[in-house]
Amino acid sequence: MRQRIINARVTFHNSPIHVLERFAIRDVGDAYEQFRLHSDLDECVIIQTCNRVELFARTGPGGTERLKRTWASLTGLDEVAFDENLEMSEDDEALRHLLKLTSGLDSMVLGEEQILGQIKSSIAEARKTRSSGRYLNTIFDKAIRIGTRIRSSTGIGRGGISVGSMAVRLAEENIDDMKSKRILLIGTGEVSTLVAKSLLRRGYAFDVTSRTLGRARAFCESLGGSPVRFEEVLSGFTGYDAMFVATTAPYSLVTFEKISQAISAGRTGGSNGQDGHLRRGMMILDLSNPRTVDERVATLPGVKLMNLDQISEMVEKNLTARAGKARAIEDAIKEEVGVLEASVRRLAAEPIAEHVFKKIDALREKELQKAVRALDETDPERISIIDSLTREIVESIVSPPINNLRKASERGDSGVIALAGRLFDYGGGNDGEADADASTSAGASDPDSNDPSSND
Ligand SMILES: NC(=O)c1ccc[n+]([C@@H]2O[C@H](COP(=O)([O-])OP(=O)(O)OC[C@H]3O[C@@H](n4cnc5c(N)ncnc54)[C@H](OP(=O)(O)O)[C@@H]3O)[C@@H](O)[C@H]2O)c1
């Protein structure tokens, strides 16, 4: 029964953000438990960002269907919804996809950095709950290293391209003379930081608001902008020409009523029309997912509302412009995917290697103690010399065959692995892969710790 690495994903490529939201898994800890119980996954890692919900798993035949069923029951969706939105990859294609993620090739904003941090957090969480094991830990660790290397060798991340900078560019495309305009940033999180950096780089002044004035102040101290009270802003929005909204609020912060009041106050130069500033329109960029700006505001005259989907369209243009770099990343991935596949194949030999090292070391230790007793040796320095001698003898006898076993495993030579299992009296495994049972229990261990020939 061959175990496979699979990837199941719903992303912005195939599904608009409001559809994507419905596939989001609210309680990831519980989801890991449900996938383990009902989908029979050996290992699982969930990655969720504003633009994607993805699962990587190690499973046997039938795992894909069971995974879909559990995912549907976790989200309350009909399984039919998955037919229209879900993409699946297996084995080398799943590995290739993970490299596209870590290198930034699959991101809405080509080469953006956030996805790398999000993947690191996802694998850390999976490790902590022991949802990932020997296979996915190795794959993710290596994919993160490879992705980082590709980013720096192709220079794809240079220039600080991010959702934030794309949003600011979008505002620039739609608003004349941004420098003279009043800009508001709602939120002080990760995305707001990206927006603020981009505004600052371009020399635009802006206000920042957050539920706590202290947080807005601290944000402005390190990232620029002027802090303003949340209640003050929410009561009106008057006087602003551009608003960037990036919060995780689960309801509409920017309502139809408030914007409509703000627009009429601006037109009449009303109570809050600061500096006699008569606004002709207002641009609102809602970067939140789920959205925190009431979509009906787009129907108000003079209001232009843009959200993540529109940024995605802009990014398509960005992709074309950066196609040269995208090609360079694709070429690098083509080369690296083979390295990653070999690492995965090599894991099949690890349980045997561990078994052999453990068994021989126990024997060595027993014989060492016997010899120390027979010699009546008590000098720690002399005991340490004998200890090192026995270790080196064992290492030099055992390492060559084990390294050959690892090489055979890298080539996918399951015959050699099965034979080694018999020769070394290893009882685990039933599928030509020696550690079918060991994979989940290896969660926190470093699979490369015994591994002198690791190439990353
Ligand atoms: N991270 C990404 O790569 C990315 C990319 C595209 C879009 N997005 C979307 O952008 C939004 C912000 O993401 P983030 O990564 O910046 O999140 P984050 O770092 O967790 O920051 C969340 C922000 O939301 C504010 N907030 C939370 N609940 C609120 C409420 N009830 N009322 C008002 N403000 C509230 C927080 O304000 P306080 O300081 O007052 O707590 C904080 O400033 C999310 O909807 C996310 O889905 C994220």
Side-chain angles (χ1 to χ4, degrees):
M1 185 179 61
R2 196 176 84 82
Q3 299 296 103
R4 294 165 307 156
I5 302 296
I6 58 167
N7 166 254
R9 59 187 183 271
V10 180
T11 74
F12 71 97
H13 292 298
N14 270 7
S15 314
I17 303 291
H18 67 278
V19 173
L20 176 68
E21 278 165 17
R22 295 165 46 217
F23 289 83
I25 293 167
R26 307 283 160 210
D27 183 343
V28 173
D30 174 58
Y32 277 134
E33 185 62 11
Q34 300 302 323
F35 280 119
R36 194 180 60 74
L37 288 173
H38 304 298
S39 299
D40 206 16
L41 305 181
D42 276 359
E43 301 184 34
C44 179
V45 177
I46 298 170
I47 301 171
Q48 295 200 94
T49 75
C50 318
N51 297 324
R52 61 186 73 250
V53 184
E54 303 213 8
L55 271 84
F56 280 85
R58 184 167 185 261
T59 183
T64 309
E65 283 310 308
R66 287 194 295 270
L67 179 150
K68 257 199 268 184
R69 233 173 288 141
T70 308
W71 193 347
S73 90
L74 283 167
T75 49
L77 286 168
D78 204 306
E79 277 183 56
V80 180
F82 285 81
D83 298 340
E84 286 162 16
N85 295 282
L86 191 75
E87 289 176 87
M88 298 283 311
S89 305
E90 276 183 23
D91 293 331
D92 58 330
E93 279 310 316
L95 299 182
R96 190 185 305 279
H97 177 67
L98 182 58
L99 290 182
K100 281 169 102 177
L101 289 180
T102 58
S103 61
L105 185 59
D106 202 64
S107 290
M108 189 190 258
V109 178
L110 189 68
E112 55 97 2
E113 279 288 332
Q114 290 76 46
I115 185 72
L116 204 51
Q118 285 153 341
I119 290 173
K120 285 179 188 168
S121 312
S122 303
I123 185 65
E125 175 71 18
R127 262 194 167 105
K128 204 166 75 191
T129 56
R130 294 191 159 259
S131 312
S132 60
R134 186 192 298 276
Y135 277 83
L136 290 185
N137 289 344
T138 303
I139 290 169
F140 272 72
D141 287 348
K142 285 189 189 284
I144 288 167
R145 284 203 287 270
I146 293 171
T148 309
R149 203 160 58 215
I150 291 177
R151 280 165 189 270
S152 82
S153 66
T154 56
I156 193 66
R158 270 180 228 137
I161 298 287
S162 68
V163 177
S165 63
M166 280 293 163
V168 173
R169 277 195 213 171
L170 205 52
E172 279 175 329
E173 278 185 12
N174 286 276
I175 300 173
D176 292 333
D177 188 22
M178 277 268 282
K179 277 217 164 99
S180 69
K181 299 294 193 290
R182 297 201 66 224
I183 301 171
L184 174 67
L185 174 55
I186 307 180
T188 51
E190 210 180 313
V191 174
S192 301
T193 302
L194 298 170
V195 174
K197 280 184 178 164
S198 179
L199 290 170
L200 206 64
R201 258 199 311 272
R202 294 165 151 78
Y204 301 136
F206 54 99
D207 288 349
V208 178
T209 195
S210 157
R211 280 177 299 181
T212 351
L213 187 61
R215 215 166 0 242
R217 276 202 189 110
F219 181 92
C220 294
E221 267 162 30
S222 59
L223 291 153
S226 315
V228 287
R229 276 186 197 287
F230 198 54
E231 304 71 35
E232 230 168 74
V233 168
L234 289 199
S235 70
F237 300 110
T238 316
Y240 289 107
D241 305 281
M243 279 200 279
F244 296 87
V245 190
T247 81
T248 46
Y251 48 80
S252 283
L253 278 180
V254 180
T255 63
F256 178 80
E257 291 70 26
K258 295 290 176 211
I259 295 298
S260 117
Q261 281 164 18
I263 288 294
S264 30
R267 285 225 178 77
T268 56
S271 59
N272 210 359
Q274 285 108 323
D275 311 329
H277 179 94
L278 184 66
R279 226 187 15 263
R280 289 196 177 78
M282 181 189 268
M283 174 154 196
I284 306 174
L285 294 109
D286 187 3
L287 308 182
S288 316
N289 175 24
R291 294 174 192 181
T292 46
V293 178
D294 183 341
E295 283 183 51
R296 289 176 305 149
V297 304
T299 61
L300 289 166
V303 175
K304 189 160 181 94
L305 171 65
M306 294 195 125
N307 53 40
L308 274 179
D309 284 336
Q310 271 108 21
I311 294 192
S312 153
E313 277 167 30
M314 178 168 181
V315 168
E316 286 302 320
K317 291 188 221 157
N318 162 267
L319 267 179
T320 318
R322 308 180 96 204
K325 286 200 170 169
R327 255 193 307 279
I329 299 180
E330 258 160 25
D331 290 346
I333 289 178
K334 232 178 256 169
E335 278 174 30
E336 298 282 7
V337 81
V339 175
L340 198 51
E341 271 183 285
S343 313
V344 175
R345 282 197 300 267
R346 194 168 64 177
L347 289 175
E350 287 311 307
I352 300 178
E354 279 166 22
H355 167 80
V356 170
F357 278 117
K358 217 158 127 188
K359 204 166 161 184
I360 292 191
D361 199 57
L363 273 175
R364 182 195 69 81
E365 187 64 38
K366 196 170 130 200
E367 294 304 321
L368 174 71
Q369 295 309 328
K370 255 201 291 190
V372 168
R373 274 196 304 276
L375 291 169
D376 204 15
E377 186 56 75
T378 53
D379 179 2
E381 210 171 305
R382 293 165 74 91
I383 293 175
S384 158
I385 291 173
I386 308 173
D387 182 64
S388 304
L389 170 78
T390 57
R391 272 181 208 283
E392 270 166 39
I393 292 173
V394 163
E395 280 274 328
S396 54
I397 293 173
V398 178
S399 289
I402 292 297
N403 282 339
N404 286 335
L405 177 66
R406 283 177 170 144
K407 280 183 199 149
S409 181
E410 264 186 27
R411 292 193 304 273
D413 193 338
S414 55
V416 171
I417 296 170
L419 182 63
R422 287 209 296 281
L423 285 175
F424 290 118
D425 210 11
Y426 174 75
N430 53 7
D431 59 354
E433 289 173 311
D435 70 337
D437 297 325
S439 55
T440 40
S441 61
S445 71
D446 175 6
D448 290 335
S449 59
N450 256 336
D451 185 352
S453 53
S454 175
N455 52 10
D456 263 319

